[in-house]
Amino acid sequence: MNKLAPQKRIQVKEEACIGCRLCEFYCAAEHHPSKDLLKAFGPGRERPRGRVRVVEEGPVSFALVCRHCDEPLCVFACVSGAMERDPETGKVIHDPERCVGCLSCVLACTNGTILWDEKRGVVAKCDLCPGREVPACVAGCPNEALILSE
Amino acid sequence: MKNLRTFNNPYRDDKVFEGCAIFALLNQAGKNVSGEPVFRAIANMRNRGNGLGGGFAVYGIYPEYAEHYALHVMYDDPAAREEVECYLKDRFDIAEEEEVPTRKTPAVSHPPQVFRYFLKPRAGWMDDVTEDERMIRAVMDINTGIKDAFVFSSGKNMGVFKGVGHPETMAEYFRLDEYRGYLWTAHSRFPTNSRAWWGGAHPFSILDWTVIHNGEVSSYGINRRYLEMFGYACTLETDTEVLAYIVDLLARRQRLPMSLVTKIMAPPLWEEIERMKEPERSELIKLRQVYGSLLVNGPFAVVIAHHGEMIGLNDRIRLRPMTAGIGGENLYISSEEASIRLVCPELDEFWSPQGGDPIVGKVKLETPALHVPVRPLVSDEDRAGLKVGGLI
Amino acid sequence: MLPEINSQLPILNPQPPTGEVAQVDARGLDYRELNRRVDDLLASGAGEIEIRGVHGQRYIASRIRRPVNFRIHGTPGNDLAAFSDGVRLEVFGDAQDGVGNTMNSGEIIVHGRAGDIVGMGMRGGRIFIRDEVGYRTAIHMKEYREQRPVIVIGVMGQDFLGEYMAGGVVVILNLPPRNPKSFSRPPAFIGTGIHGGKIFFRGKLEPYQTGKEVGFDCPDEKEKELLNGIIRDYSNYFSQNLDHVIPDDFLKLYPKNLRPYGRLYAY
Amino acid sequence: MKSYLPAEFIIERNEDRCIRCLACVRQCGFETHVYDAEEDSLLSKEELCVGCLRCVTICPTRALTVRTNPSEPRPNANWTREHLRDVARQAESGGVILTGSGNDKPIRSYWDHLYLNASQVTNPSIDPLREPMELRTYLGKKPDTFNPGDAKTRESECSNVRIETPLLFSAMSFGAISLQAMQSLAQAASEYGTLFNTGEGGLPSELVDYGKSAIVQCASGRFGVNWEYLNNSAIVEIKIGQGAKPGIGGHLPGEKVLAKVAETRMIPMGTDALSPAPQHDIYSIEDLSMLIYALKEATNYRKPISVKIAAVHNAAAIATGMVRAGADMIVIDGIRGGTGAAPKLIRDHVGIPIELALAAVDSRLREEGIRNWASLVAAGGFRSAADVIKAIALGADAVYLGTAALVAMGCTICQKCYTGICNWGICTNRPELAKRLNPDVAARRLENLLRAWSLEIKEILGGMGVNAIESLRGNRLQLRGVGLEEWELRVLGVKGAGE
């Protein structure tokens, strides 16, 4: 794979992650049609899922989120061509329309950042919030445990 | 009435704040000795003072006038001298008067004049009270009434020499190397303010009682108010002054033995008293009940001296250092052992008493060499003085 | 991670003292001059320093951080070896207040008595005082990892020995005092506020003599071994026969609680 | 025993806005919020709430409101709500009431009665945005005269320490505050060219590189004090007392002495770290001198030695003594000074306001002719640059910021520092709480505060028509009092407004 310009990615600082899980909520809302927390999670509504996940063990907690690898194993593993690396930006993008739900990418990813969307039968992963300068999780993190870096 | 605190406590603090070094020497045989070891010893503790006060009390220096009160008076202004001498001539028979001899000492700047008078109260002036009470009245009158005059000391056959400077400087200035005494106390002062007033240095004195003190009397406020009930005017607003008055009140006026006076100033803790046997237990309970206001609290190490006796005392939990040594005929008390060892390397005895446990040094009365009148603790003359309600 | 404290010290001269003894006459010197002279001698390679005629100079050996031997004759002043780290210092005479104040390591041996607050806040090393000591010995002495301070007192300490003690070992041999006037009443308030360390006291104590935070026990076998070693060292240092002093005579004083004031407050 | 104490706060949750993210549940170290999964409901145990507003701040939909419990006992001006609470707490525990932070009583703030001057007509004001404005300050003893030929005068015995703004961070010890908090202070101070203060808990190994920006304390517990600590510093400070608790010592409970704290303090884990009330080698002024020179000897006269006391009745006399004892810098901490833990009785009733103490000390040092011998630093509840400017005009060389720095980091002054739980990660050592303070963020916030206050100081200087801080220092003509009595004006050494 040809080397590309350095990719912007979300850097996770475990020592600053406070385990509030707000990144999960901001992500889910951002990927909800309403792009609004209250509308996405309002009473009686079906709760959307985010593409970032906080794991915790005692005082240790951090967010699992796609690293947009330079050599993405998920892209190699994808059987349907749904997972692609944008040659322009270096972003690893997933196209749910082409996804067949084989979970090969989930098995291939060494970071555990591709999530299974049971309801839709496809996988979901971080897309760095197209249309936003800073991804929603980064903007919402109260302790700058998530940083957008080159 | 003149306000002495404008000299000694110019900022009107609660009291004068200071720290220091103390040293004392008693020749227990009553022999008059040179003060040279005392000068060296106190100079060795230079780090404890800051050069803003030094002084000495010496006993046995005026044997030729042993029956006269030796009044050391300091004058900041020659006019004050005229006024004082006028006051004295009206009330006392003055056997001798002279300026205290001094030596030109570079480190001493703007010294006041210091004069001494050997005198006795004249018949017809306040005959109804003892001579001591009359002497005290004169001291209080001069100190509170005559501007620019201050009495350093007023006892018989003893004197206080003090001023602004390191103590060794004061010794040189007052030519103390030319005196011999059987009891020397020395003080190096670390006052927090620099208002250079010679009267503010230690020792503090009333009659032949002198006090040198290291520490701060935290109970000063109430000690002072209690003493004021008995007519003591705490004109200098310094905690050391109250120590002198406490001893005067208890030992001289109320006739309590020194062993009890020290137990009033630094009583045992209640817990300890409860463990004591009768009658000691009841006696101490009584003492604390009666004299609670004279408990001297806070850190202190003090040497109280009068003719024939020197007492070193610490506060109850020994917050200030004090050590004692005996070498030959001499008893030494010092803030630091090194000073004693400097002047007497081979000591027969050495100890650091526990808090509240006095170091008592007495001149052995049978010693023929003693030329000093040692006053008995209780005299009829003194007893009469008790009838006078107050001093002022 | 922090490396071991001692290994962190840049030791100028890692070799043990060469035995080359530099002499200093302290008479007439103030402490700054004396200590500067010592610095100069060390800089020029002296391995051992003998100071004579000491009369109250303060802070001797207080900024030395290498294993230098000092032999001091006279009466050193306050804060002897304060903040020191690794010196071995022998005093032939009495010492004053503040011996080994906040000392980190090393050894001080006093052939005589010492004044108040011996080993205040001391964290490591050993202090041996042949005779008695003043008030507040080992106040707030503490230990840290391999640094375990030891104070050995030949005679007895005055009140408040081991106050606030937070670590280390104090041993009181209770030998006959040089002058009983220093102990007109039995010392009290031993171990007031103790919350670490141990005090080994030879002889008997009345309950009132100790703080209420103190527990009593007999030394166990390991502690007896420690005591035997200390007794042996004391006999050697001061050339005294201590055959009559045996570990079984000692009372162990220990903190009943690591948190003596835990119940003082309303949360 | 059944407690009679009502909840201090009530929590209102706007159900329409709550999205069940449970951030409030996760973020409350006091475990006030509870989620009932069965009912899908959120409950609040209000009696546990300390009012720190962490949940309110973190709630992504602003669904929470925390208010003082409006249930009032019968109004009583004498038996206030606070008195009732305290008596009940003591009846239930038999203990001394502890508290954290500074005095919260309505002590007269003299800052609020002092007004600053500005240039009009007779001299021009200066525009600090375009023209030079100097805040650089040197801390330490200055010689009485400058003798060009004398190398010793030139270097002065103790070299001075340079700070770029007269704002220093107060002593807050590691153990009382988290490593993250201390790192934030160290980082901000070193970036901005000023100093932080280690307090008495030693310097954590992670921060040894910040030694150049550290005032290291030597207090009664002597925790972590050794040769390296003393020599890896800008200034060594002897702590005699602090404004929040004059006359008593410190007490870091064993629960807070975790591995890292134990290492830094050089004590075993889990033991109480007790700082005795006095330093047991200082019982008198000549003893202070002894410790000052012990530290000078140990640091070979390379470090200025500071002495910090609480503002008490005779502060002026004590301060002159401290200067004469050899202190190169003296710190006076007023009654509003903060703390991690103090008996409430002492915090609220012992000491005097910094304004009066500072004025008295500066005046006395000048009367004694020794003001140059030491720098004077004021501390105790500085809330704004205005307070700082007034302090400098009264005579301070610099001020210590404690509570203001904590607030910049997130503190809401809930006064529960002594519990060891701090939802903001500042005054705690529990790792899951301490990590809530990201030093990169907090240091930036602190630097911003320094920058903002420095700018404000410059603005005021410009308005007064001076362009160097030394023209304000001790310049009491730039102050006028309003609503003060004669004695207060006298102590402050300022004229009444209009005079």
Side-chain angles (χ1 to χ4, degrees):
Chain A
M1 189 161 285
N2 53 335
K3 286 275 171 200
L4 296 159
Q7 159 59 24
K8 279 195 175 169
R9 45 173 80 99
I10 296 168
Q11 193 194 331
V12 180
K13 294 175 81 177
E14 178 274 312
E15 70 276 13
C17 175
I18 63 174
C20 66
R21 296 185 173 249
L22 287 180
C23 49
E24 297 178 5
F25 286 82
Y26 284 116
C27 177
E30 181 65 22
H31 294 90
H32 187 267
S34 66
K35 294 198 187 282
D36 182 274
L37 269 178
L38 280 174
K39 287 187 181 155
F41 290 95
R45 283 169 223 230
E46 197 182 316
R47 293 169 79 78
R49 287 189 60 186
R51 289 131 193 250
V52 52
R53 193 158 53 96
V54 173
V55 291
E56 250 178 309
E57 179 68 48
V60 179
S61 66
F62 57 90
L64 281 177
V65 62
C66 174
R67 300 159 60 117
H68 298 276
C69 307
D70 287 341
E71 296 184 1
L73 297 176
C74 57
V75 175
F76 298 137
C78 184
V79 297
S80 64
M83 203 68 86
E84 268 184 348
R85 187 165 196 265
D86 184 325
E88 291 282 298
T89 64
K91 251 193 236 179
V92 177
I93 309 286
H94 175 252
D95 179 359
E97 299 300 319
R98 294 166 70 182
C99 181
V100 298
C102 69
L103 299 184
S104 301
C105 57
V106 175
L107 291 171
C109 176
T110 51
N111 298 317
T113 59
I114 303 175
L115 304 174
W116 173 234
D117 187 340
E118 214 172 307
K119 218 157 49 286
R120 293 167 61 196
V122 294
V123 300
K125 69 172 285 298
C126 167
D127 55 5
L128 290 169
C129 295
R132 285 187 68 118
E133 210 167 295
V134 177
C137 59
V138 173
C141 177
N143 203 36
E144 297 189 12
L146 298 171
I147 312 171
L148 189 66
S149 65
E150 293 290 328
Chain B
M1 192 171 101
K2 146 183 113 169
N3 200 346
L4 277 173
R5 66 184 168 216
T6 53
F7 296 96
N8 195 47
N9 188 354
Y11 303 112
R12 305 208 52 191
D13 293 321
D14 290 351
K15 61 193 164 208
V16 175
F17 292 86
E18 58 193 355
C20 53
I22 56 180
F23 190 86
L25 180 161
L26 170 70
N27 183 289
Q28 297 177 99
K31 285 181 200 152
N32 283 343
V33 295
S34 156
E36 186 275 335
V38 181
F39 313 148
R40 274 199 300 140
I42 194 77
N44 194 57
M45 294 187 282
R46 205 179 236 257
N47 291 322
R48 302 184 74 89
N50 65 1
L52 294 177
F56 300 84
V58 204
Y59 291 79
I61 47 175
Y62 301 131
E64 63 275 33
Y65 291 109
E67 295 308 316
H68 290 78
Y69 290 97
L71 195 68
H72 283 201
V73 191
M74 172 200 117
Y75 301 113
D76 274 330
D77 187 326
R81 197 180 122 209
E82 269 173 49
E83 210 178 323
V84 167
E85 288 178 356
C86 205
Y87 174 94
L88 293 175
K89 276 170 189 147
D90 285 351
R91 295 164 181 83
F92 292 88
D93 293 322
I94 302 175
E96 174 73 44
E97 59 175 280
E98 61 172 339
E99 181 163 8
V100 173
T102 56
R103 180 184 286 142
K104 209 166 161 46
T105 309
V108 173
S109 61
H110 309 295
Q113 284 184 304
V114 181
F115 274 70
R116 61 188 167 207
Y117 307 86
F118 298 97
L119 37 72
K120 282 182 179 178
R122 185 173 298 150
W125 179 60
M126 287 176 63
D127 282 333
D128 52 336
V129 298
T130 63
E131 287 202 336
D132 278 356
E133 295 295 347
R134 291 149 80 183
M135 195 64 231
I136 288 174
R137 163 60 79 91
V139 171
M140 295 277 168
D141 279 351
I142 294 169
N143 284 353
T144 59
I146 301 175
K147 198 170 170 292
D148 296 327
F150 180 71
V151 178
F152 277 179
S153 60
S154 52
K156 290 176 180 168
N157 197 10
M158 57 78 68
V160 167
F161 305 86
K162 61 184 183 177
V164 174
H166 284 290
E168 59 273 25
T169 312
M170 284 303 116
E172 195 191 342
Y173 178 72
F174 283 115
R175 309 170 79 109
L176 294 187
D177 47 308
E178 295 167 5
Y179 293 75
R180 293 173 75 80
Y182 70 95
L183 195 173
W184 292 75
T185 67
H187 188 267
S188 175
R189 190 178 178 218
F190 191 132
T192 62
N193 75 56
S194 68
R195 207 52 75 91
W197 188 59
W198 286 48
H202 297 210
F204 285 93
S205 169
I206 185 165
L207 297 176
D208 67 342
W209 292 96
T210 59
V211 176
I212 51 174
H213 166 223
N214 171 206
E216 181 182 331
V217 177
S218 307
S219 54
Y220 169 76
I222 183 56
N223 299 148
R224 175 183 168 162
R225 294 189 72 206
Y226 187 85
L227 289 166
E228 281 170 351
M229 292 200 302
F230 295 87
Y232 292 90
C234 296
T235 47
L236 298 175
E237 303 199 341
T238 170
D239 42 7
T240 306
E241 191 187 21
V242 300
L243 294 170
Y245 297 156
I246 289 173
V247 174
D248 185 69
L249 174 70
L250 298 175
R252 190 182 63 81
R253 289 173 69 193
Q254 302 195 354
R255 309 281 147 269
L256 295 175
M258 262 335 269
S259 58
L260 289 190
V261 173
T262 57
K263 288 270 185 290
I264 289 167
M265 295 169 74
L269 300 166
W270 285 119
E271 255 185 46
E272 198 184 332
I273 293 174
E274 289 307 331
R275 284 196 301 272
M276 288 175 179
K277 292 195 177 64
E278 296 293 354
E280 201 188 357
R281 178 178 163 276
S282 302
E283 184 179 277
L284 280 162
I285 290 173
K286 208 75 206 163
L287 274 185
R288 286 197 68 171
Q289 284 174 354
V290 175
Y291 294 110
S293 299
L294 292 182
L295 190 163
V296 181
N297 225 318
F300 72 83
V302 63
V303 176
I304 300 159
H306 67 137
H307 269 302
E309 191 178 34
M310 165 171 100
I311 298 112
L313 184 67
N314 267 129
D315 61 270
R316 311 195 292 166
I317 51 173
R318 236 273 295 284
L319 296 166
R320 297 313 303 143
M322 193 168 70
T323 55
I326 295 175
E329 291 171 342
N330 291 343
L331 166 70
Y332 304 91
I333 298 178
S334 174
S335 296
E336 295 186 15
E337 179 178 344
S339 287
I340 302 179
R341 296 264 172 207
L342 182 72
V343 297
C344 185
E346 295 307 319
L347 292 166
D348 304 317
E349 253 195 84
F350 179 85
W351 76 104
S352 268
Q354 285 162 298
D357 200 8
I359 301 163
V360 181
K362 277 190 198 312
V363 172
K364 294 177 185 85
L365 283 170
E366 66 277 15
T367 312
L370 180 66
H371 306 295
V372 201
V374 176
R375 289 183 308 129
L377 267 175
V378 187
S379 71
D380 291 341
E381 192 190 15
D382 281 344
R383 229 180 265 286
L386 273 177
K387 292 187 194 127
V388 187
L391 294 169
I392 298 165
Chain C
M1 280 304 288
L2 187 74
E4 294 301 308
I5 287 295
N6 284 330
S7 63
Q8 223 179 359
L9 308 177
I11 292 169
L12 301 173
N13 177 7
Q15 274 80 44
T18 55
E20 186 193 326
V21 185
Q23 298 283 340
V24 183
D25 184 352
R27 274 173 301 182
L29 297 184
D30 82 356
Y31 67 80
R32 285 185 70 169
E33 267 177 277
L34 173 58
N35 292 339
R36 210 172 303 149
R37 210 163 284 192
V38 167
D39 282 352
D40 293 345
L41 287 169
L42 290 175
S44 59
E48 186 167 339
I49 293 191
E50 183 149 36
I51 312 177
R52 292 179 187 278
V54 176
H55 278 295
Q57 287 92 345
R58 295 174 171 182
Y59 319 123
I60 294 174
S62 80
R63 57 169 174 259
I64 315 290
R65 299 166 69 226
R66 42 192 281 204
V68 180
N69 278 354
F70 279 83
R71 293 165 69 81
I72 294 172
H73 301 268
T75 316
N78 295 355
D79 278 350
L80 174 68
F83 305 110
S84 69
D85 206 344
V87 297
R88 188 173 186 282
L89 196 142
E90 218 164 331
V91 178
F92 300 91
D94 291 345
Q96 296 191 158
D97 300 341
V99 173
N101 189 344
T102 323
M103 166 177 168
N104 206 47
S105 70
E107 189 167 53
I108 300 174
I109 299 158
V110 178
H111 295 260
R113 71 180 278 279
D116 295 345
I117 57 166
V118 171
M120 169 179 150
M122 179 184 176
R123 186 184 302 117
R126 305 207 301 176
I127 297 178
F128 278 72
I129 310 285
R130 191 193 65 198
D131 304 330
E132 64 264 15
V133 293
Y135 269 55
R136 300 179 179 84
T137 303
I139 191 164
H140 215 294
M141 183 161 97
K142 41 178 124 23
E143 62 190 51
Y144 172 60
R145 292 193 188 159
E146 78 288 354
Q147 287 176 279
R148 195 177 184 212
V150 175
I151 296 179
V152 181
I153 296 153
V155 177
M156 178 69 77
Q158 291 174 324
D159 295 0
F160 299 105
L161 184 142
E163 191 183 10
Y164 284 114
M165 190 168 157
V169 172
V170 178
V171 180
I172 298 153
L173 297 175
N174 206 354
L175 301 171
R178 216 159 92 184
N179 191 337
K181 282 183 186 169
S182 292
F183 298 95
S184 67
R185 55 175 190 266
F189 304 106
I190 297 171
T192 309
I194 187 172
H195 54 292
K198 294 167 204 163
I199 300 169
F200 295 99
F201 185 95
R202 182 169 155 264
K204 276 190 184 159
L205 277 173
E206 294 295 327
Y208 76 81
Q209 287 180 261
T210 64
K212 59 185 181 305
E213 299 84 4
V214 172
F216 296 92
D217 206 344
C218 298
D220 61 27
E221 288 311 309
K222 237 181 129 182
E223 288 159 348
K224 282 182 189 168
E225 222 172 276
L226 173 88
L227 286 170
N228 265 326
I230 281 170
I231 294 163
R232 198 179 49 238
D233 288 349
Y234 182 95
S235 325
N236 290 339
Y237 288 166
F238 303 119
S239 312
Q240 289 201 17
N241 182 354
L242 287 190
D243 289 350
H244 61 293
V245 178
I246 52 166
D248 285 322
D249 296 346
F250 284 84
L251 207 56
K252 176 169 86 172
L253 281 60
Y254 66 92
K256 282 196 262 187
N257 194 330
L258 291 182
R259 305 214 34 216
Y261 302 114
R263 292 196 50 208
L264 190 65
Y265 300 110
Y267 278 90
Chain D
M1 197 188 297
K2 171 90 180 110
S3 174
Y4 296 161
L5 288 163
E8 270 189 280
F9 299 95
I10 56 162
I11 298 167
E12 292 165 350
R13 178 175 280 104
N14 184 338
E15 288 296 335
D16 291 342
R17 297 189 71 87
C18 178
I19 60 170
R20 303 288 187 268
C21 69
L22 309 191
C24 54
V25 177
R26 293 193 188 94
Q27 288 291 297
C28 186
F30 295 94
E31 300 178 353
T32 303
H33 302 282
V34 182
Y35 179 62
D36 184 332
E38 238 169 71
E39 303 276 330
D40 185 35
S41 66
L42 271 156
L43 310 167
S44 301
K45 294 185 182 166
E46 290 174 327
E47 67 279 12
L48 300 176
C49 177
V50 301
C52 78
L53 303 189
R54 176 75 180 178
C55 56
V56 173
T57 312
I58 206 102
C59 176
T61 56
R62 294 176 302 283
L64 287 168
T65 308
V66 172
R67 289 202 289 139
T68 306
N69 188 346
S71 311
E72 285 280 3
R74 186 187 178 86
N76 189 323
N78 191 37
W79 283 95
T80 61
R81 186 170 162 142
E82 183 179 358
H83 285 121
L84 292 177
R85 274 196 80 82
D86 289 352
V87 169
R89 272 167 84 186
Q90 295 190 293
E92 286 163 20
S93 68
V96 171
I97 293 190
L98 268 190
T99 187
S101 310
N103 196 314
D104 58 5
K105 299 293 170 292
I107 297 172
R108 164 167 262 193
S109 168
Y110 288 92
W111 304 132
D112 297 342
H113 291 269
L114 291 170
Y115 291 91
L116 292 161
N117 195 26
S119 301
Q120 301 291 300
V121 182
T122 54
N123 61 347
S125 44
I126 303 169
D127 184 346
L129 298 179
R130 279 174 290 279
E131 291 182 43
M133 197 54 69
E134 298 173 318
L135 299 189
R136 180 177 296 176
T137 300
Y138 280 93
L139 299 175
K141 177 178 181 158
K142 280 88 182 164
D144 282 336
T145 57
F146 175 68
N147 179 354
D150 180 9
K152 211 176 155 192
T153 338
R154 248 193 342 265
E155 288 167 22
S156 150
E157 189 175 74
C158 280
S159 51
N160 277 220
V161 172
R162 186 170 105 186
I163 50 175
E164 297 300 342
T165 183
L167 306 167
L168 306 160
F169 293 132
S170 294
M172 289 175 272
S173 65
F174 173 48
I177 61 170
S178 62
L179 180 61
Q180 286 85 338
M182 189 176 268
Q183 188 180 336
S184 309
L185 293 163
Q187 229 168 281
S190 105
E191 281 295 318
Y192 205 83
T194 183
L195 307 171
F196 75 108
N197 190 314
T198 61
E200 61 169 312
L203 184 68
S205 53
E206 286 84 348
L207 304 184
V208 290
D209 290 346
Y210 292 105
K212 288 184 295 297
S213 306
I215 298 175
V216 299
Q217 268 196 350
C218 173
S220 63
R222 301 288 155 89
F223 296 112
V225 177
N226 63 11
W227 188 94
E228 286 167 298
Y229 171 79
L230 296 173
N231 283 279
N232 179 29
S233 68
I235 292 172
V236 178
E237 183 166 285
I238 298 171
K239 180 206 169 182
I240 301 293
Q242 88 186 72
K245 41 181 171 180
I248 67 160
H251 177 183
L252 188 70
E255 298 96 316
K256 282 181 124 174
V257 183
L258 303 175
K260 186 72 212 172
V261 175
E263 177 193 298
T264 306
R265 295 203 173 213
M266 301 188 188
I267 50 172
M269 272 170 69
T271 52
D272 277 8
L274 302 180
S275 300
Q279 307 222 12
H280 282 286
D281 46 3
I282 307 178
Y283 291 160
S284 181
I285 191 75
E286 74 270 14
D287 288 357
L288 173 69
S289 183
M290 188 159 80
L291 183 61
I292 289 173
Y293 281 93
L295 291 168
K296 288 190 180 202
E297 281 282 320
T299 56
N300 218 345
Y301 299 85
R302 291 196 189 99
K303 310 286 178 192
I305 307 296
S306 163
V307 180
K308 177 180 179 180
I309 58 162
V312 291
H313 299 185
N314 291 297
I318 298 161
T320 50
M322 282 151 55
V323 175
R324 288 184 194 289
D328 304 297
M329 170 167 136
I330 58 174
V331 183
I332 317 289
D333 191 8
I335 193 168
R336 290 184 222 99
T339 178
K344 191 162 135 191
L345 193 76
I346 288 171
R347 185 195 71 172
D348 291 354
H349 298 279
V350 183
I352 62 173
I354 184 60
E355 301 92 318
L356 302 176
L358 166 64
V361 168
D362 178 73
S363 299
R364 177 72 65 89
L365 293 177
R366 286 174 197 282
E367 282 170 62
E368 290 279 320
I370 57 175
R371 178 64 184 79
N372 255 17
W373 294 11
S375 293
L376 173 55
V377 175
F382 287 90
R383 306 155 300 173
S384 72
D387 294 355
V388 175
I389 293 158
K390 291 168 189 174
I392 290 170
L394 281 181
D397 286 275
V399 300
Y400 264 130
L401 307 179
T403 308
L406 296 176
V407 171
M409 287 193 277
C411 169
T412 55
I413 318 187
C414 73
Q415 311 192 15
K416 295 290 172 186
C417 327
Y418 61 92
T419 60
I421 299 170
C422 173
N423 280 334
W424 294 87
I426 300 167
C427 204
T428 181
N429 278 296
R430 300 211 332 212
E432 76 279 13
L433 297 177
K435 69 192 295 204
R436 293 181 184 180
L437 194 77
N438 181 344
D440 291 339
V441 179
R444 226 158 56 226
R445 298 178 71 94
L446 288 165
E447 262 186 81
N448 283 339
L449 181 78
L450 292 175
R451 181 170 302 111
W453 284 21
S454 301
L455 278 174
E456 288 181 332
I457 296 170
K458 289 177 180 180
E459 296 248 30
I460 295 275
L461 286 182
M464 288 172 174
V466 299
N467 59 12
I469 190 86
E470 47 263 56
S471 307
L472 175 67
R473 194 184 308 140
N475 187 347
R476 297 190 187 172
L477 291 178
Q478 302 291 5
L479 295 170
R480 287 290 191 277
V482 169
L484 295 174
E485 304 209 15
E486 201 61 47
W487 73 266
E488 293 169 310
L489 290 168
R490 190 180 67 238
V491 172
L492 290 166
V494 301
K495 292 180 183 173
E499 284 189 304

